[in-house]
Amino acid sequence: MSRITQVLFVLCFCLFAMNDLQAQDRGPLRHVVSFKFSDDATEQQINACIKDFAGLKEKISEIKSFEWGTNNSPEGLTKGLTHCFILTFDDEKGRDIYLPHPDHKAFGDAHGKIFADVFVIDYYAKDGM
């Protein structure tokens, strides 16, 4: 093996090792979903949506935790989004199983008609700086 090949091999190994260490240092993956319901959505429809969304945790084992709440911010920056849901996954693999999961798809099919807007952001949770 030539010296250049050896150096390249060592560099590649170090890059893969660093990437693996970074993945291990990540916190849990948060999947944040906010809904703006259509003006004609009834309270019964909204409550059924919340119940069904929360029920996904029992159907999809990759969801490690689920929490939700309604907006109470006084800042006026909600853009009409009223309900926030936070799902926690161990990592992207868990989230990537959840997204196309038949139960998640069925939830969207059942309730999608009452959404006027949806916002989603995913991030790895970190402690402080």
Side-chain angles (χ1 to χ4, degrees):
M1 193 180 315
S2 74
R3 183 79 174 143
I4 293 174
T5 304
Q6 289 174 333
V7 170
L8 288 174
F9 177 78
V10 170
L11 284 174
C12 287
F13 178 79
C14 289
L15 287 173
F16 285 119
M18 285 174 46
N19 188 40
D20 190 49
L21 286 174
Q22 287 174 341
Q24 291 174 5
D25 288 341
R26 292 179 181 162
L29 181 68
R30 305 280 195 240
H31 178 71
V32 180
V33 181
S34 292
F35 294 143
K36 174 182 180 181
F37 291 101
S38 61
D39 291 337
D40 60 345
T42 66
E43 185 175 341
Q44 183 180 10
Q45 288 173 311
I46 293 170
N47 289 338
C49 174
I50 294 166
K51 180 181 177 198
D52 289 351
F53 203 1
L56 291 178
K57 184 176 184 308
E58 303 308 317
K59 297 177 178 180
I60 304 173
S61 63
E62 287 75 18
I63 300 172
K64 300 306 175 187
S65 69
F66 177 93
E67 62 183 281
W68 74 277
T70 56
N71 176 57
N72 71 354
S73 173
E75 295 178 288
L77 300 172
T78 65
K79 300 184 182 194
L81 300 161
T82 57
H83 291 66
C84 183
F85 304 84
I86 301 175
L87 292 77
T88 301
F89 300 93
D90 287 336
D91 51 30
E92 292 170 24
K93 290 177 193 170
R95 184 218 31 220
D96 294 346
I97 291 169
Y98 157 81
L99 289 174
H101 193 282
D103 288 315
H104 178 232
K105 293 294 187 187
F107 167 80
D109 292 343
H111 300 288
K113 63 186 175 292
I114 65 169
F115 301 143
D117 199 3
V118 178
F119 171 82
V120 176
I121 188 169
D122 295 351
Y123 67 93
Y124 277 102
K126 298 183 185 341
D127 291 328
M129 287 293 285

